Amino acid sequence: MPPSVPVMTDRVSWTAVQARRLDRHFLSRPAASPADAVAAMCGAHAQVRTAAEVSVALRTGGTADDVRDAVADHTLIRTFGPRGTVHLLPARDLALWTGALPAVPQRSTMPSAVRLTDEQTDRIVEAVADALADAELTADELTGAVVDRVGPWAGDLVMPAFQGFWPRWRQALATAAHRGALCFGRDRGRQVTYTSPRRWLPGFRPEETEPALTGVLARYLHAYGPATPQHFARWLSAPVEWASALFARAGLRPVDLDGERMWLNADDTLPGRRTAPALRLLPLFDAHVVGSFPRELLFPGAAAHRCLARGQAGNFPVLLVNGVAGGVWHQRRSGRAVHLTVEPFTTLSAAHRRELDEQVTRLGEVLGREPRLTIGPVTVGAHA
């Protein structure tokens, strides 16, 4: 037999990769709508609702009000997305996500005496779907409805939460959303409510599992690629072995990024010779920083200490300089003004300052407030 011929792997540069990611995230050009921006991000983190509104609006030519309007008219759905965290997802993509997310293996961190069995989880999800079919209920109201349907064990206050305990059934809250039985409804004063997405999306039902999984992977790689199974697993909070098997089934294209083998969609082009925008302001939990790897390239030097919390991204608003984390920033609202303090890790050039002024003006437009900028001290080495 002839000797095997080694497979040549295309090389890509980090500079080109970052430039393309920012472009595909609509951070180099505006999206046509909030839904287009959120679809490109593979969901917008909405643990902090105001941060989600800024994150999405910065990717369009609109404002935070436009994002709220998209939620109000159900173009965007607020629900539990990847990792069981609160996200905004486009209504048009909800069938995809609810087809894929239930298939992601999850490991409960609850003590065994508290943990739900698979049968109990199924019963609770059915009860939630029934209770919300024609209603918007607060957490307390939904607890009563679930207990009425499955029994008092579901209401036992055994689930540690903040300074107290939640009823047992709430372990299945994100699971119910992942299976398409629940999403967030309209706020009732300061209380959130839950409802069924079927009330707003006639004919809605989750997609078949395998096409949905490969569809989510394809979207992730389009937005965040090239990536490894380890990156994808961390983004989804899934086992690496499971992610590796999904990568193997998808028929992906290997590339080399700084000596590490990574993957793109088979029909994708290689990142071209582009440069990233000079400077961008990204809010808390912005999807770009949460989903982008390798962390050591996106958060070089001082950024690893100032922008990450035990390796986790998203806990601090980030100043991107030439495509990588180059500072942090803070905001304080006062009357009709928003006071912005930007702390770069290096001295900003004149071009960076011009771009920063433009970004600050844009942020003021998004928030509907008069922006006032302060440049903080250079912090290189302060947290080395």
Side-chain angles (χ1 to χ4, degrees), residues 30 44 47 98 116 118 121 131 154 167 178-179 183 189 203 207 265 282 286 293-294 296 323 325 328 330 335 338 378:
Q47 296 99 316
T98 54
L116 294 170
D118 291 344
T121 299
H178 288 173
R179 296 185 188 179
C183 66
E207 287 187 11
N265 289 314
L282 300 182
D286 189 86
F293 298 91
E296 63 272 16
V328 293
H330 317 275
V338 57
V378 174

Side-chain angles (χ1 to χ4, degrees), residues 13 23 36 67 70 95 140 155 182 191 204 238 264 279 283 300 304 314 357 378:
S13 73
D23 185 66
D36 287 344
V67 181
D140 288 344
L182 170 150
Q191 290 186 302
F204 163 76
L264 292 171
L279 189 145
D357 288 341
V378 174

Side-chain angles (χ1 to χ4, degrees), residues 47-63:
Q47 296 99 316
V48 179
R49 198 176 315 194
T50 53
E53 292 164 356
V54 171
S55 183
V56 177
L58 285 174
R59 289 165 163 83
T60 71
T63 68

